[in-house]
Amino acid sequence: MGMTATDLAAGLFKVLETGDPVLADRVVHEEFHNREASVAPSACRIPGPAGVLASSAWMRSAFEDLRLPFLEAIHSDDQVWVRLRMRGRHSGAFVLYKDGALDQVVPPTGREIDFEQIHVLDLRDGKVVRHEAVRDDIAMLGQLGVFPPKPAVGMGMLAWKVTGRASRAAAEVTIKAAQAAQTAVDRPTG
């Protein structure tokens, strides 16, 4: 018996929390597309489980104890709408990209994040094939002290950029995401 639409959605977010490649194979369609990957390392734009595992590595490299608990899920036969919270502690560099290039790096603040998101998942062949989100990124950046800018956070970002730490952190995150994606490619399915 196949998984329900809500089970598939829960499985996708569990993969993001844990980086579980076996679960990724079970719930993510090989043609999966993440519309939100434009702010992530390029490996996150790879179709299928590989891109989801890369996204997981990217998010978990910035947020310790990442949790995505559901508040509500509504579904039809081919789509699931999920309202959830994103929670965790900002313990690593949060690296953001724009048009495939490094945009900004938020050095670890140690701050907790907890904000609401809505995700729309399209389903095909008993798996998640597409992801789109409505996130309150301003709330998250506010919780990190980036917007409106807190002087200490702004100075930290500037110091990281000037000293090259931001570029080094971006390179490390990019490598982690690519390695996570490669585990999906190298892993036999079945």
Side-chain angles (χ1 to χ4, degrees), residues 30-103:
E30 65 185 22
E31 295 175 11
F32 177 86
H33 171 72
N34 180 8
R35 183 172 175 255
E36 309 309 317
S38 62
V39 299
S42 61
C44 300
R45 293 187 287 283
I46 298 171
V52 175
L53 291 169
S55 293
S56 172
W58 168 61
M59 292 171 54
R60 290 182 300 116
S61 71
F63 300 103
E64 183 178 299
D65 195 24
L66 179 67
R67 297 171 316 285
L68 300 158
F70 281 27
L71 301 174
E72 183 176 14
I74 300 169
H75 64 87
S76 65
D77 290 339
D78 62 354
Q79 197 169 68
V80 183
W81 288 63
V82 176
R83 188 169 63 92
L84 56 75
R85 298 202 70 81
M86 181 174 169
R87 295 179 173 149
R89 188 170 67 82
H90 182 217
S91 59
F94 184 37
V95 182
L96 297 167
Y97 299 79
K98 183 177 182 179
D99 300 325
L102 178 61
D103 185 32

Side-chain angles (χ1 to χ4, degrees), residues 16-17 20 31 37 52-53 74 77 92 111 127 137 148 170 178:
L16 292 173
E17 290 175 344
D20 182 342
E31 295 175 11
V52 175
L53 291 169
I74 300 169
D77 290 339
R111 295 175 182 221
K127 294 186 177 188
D137 290 345

Side-chain angles (χ1 to χ4, degrees), residues 86-172:
M86 181 174 169
R87 295 179 173 149
R89 188 170 67 82
H90 182 217
S91 59
F94 184 37
V95 182
L96 297 167
Y97 299 79
K98 183 177 182 179
D99 300 325
L102 178 61
D103 185 32
Q104 67 180 16
V105 177
V106 181
T109 62
R111 295 175 182 221
E112 297 288 328
I113 58 163
D114 182 356
F115 66 103
E116 197 166 303
Q117 305 176 344
I118 295 174
H119 297 265
V120 181
L121 308 175
D122 291 339
L123 309 176
R124 187 186 331 141
D125 304 328
K127 294 186 177 188
V128 181
V129 71
R130 185 172 175 278
H131 169 259
E132 188 168 349
V134 178
R135 300 182 310 248
D136 189 354
D137 290 345
I138 298 297
M140 178 186 65
L141 292 173
Q143 291 172 6
L144 295 178
V146 175
F147 186 81
K150 302 274 189 244
V153 175
M155 291 302 291
M157 289 174 69
L158 180 61
W160 270 47
K161 186 173 185 172
V162 169
T163 63
R165 282 187 80 185
S167 294
R168 289 190 301 277
E172 289 174 18

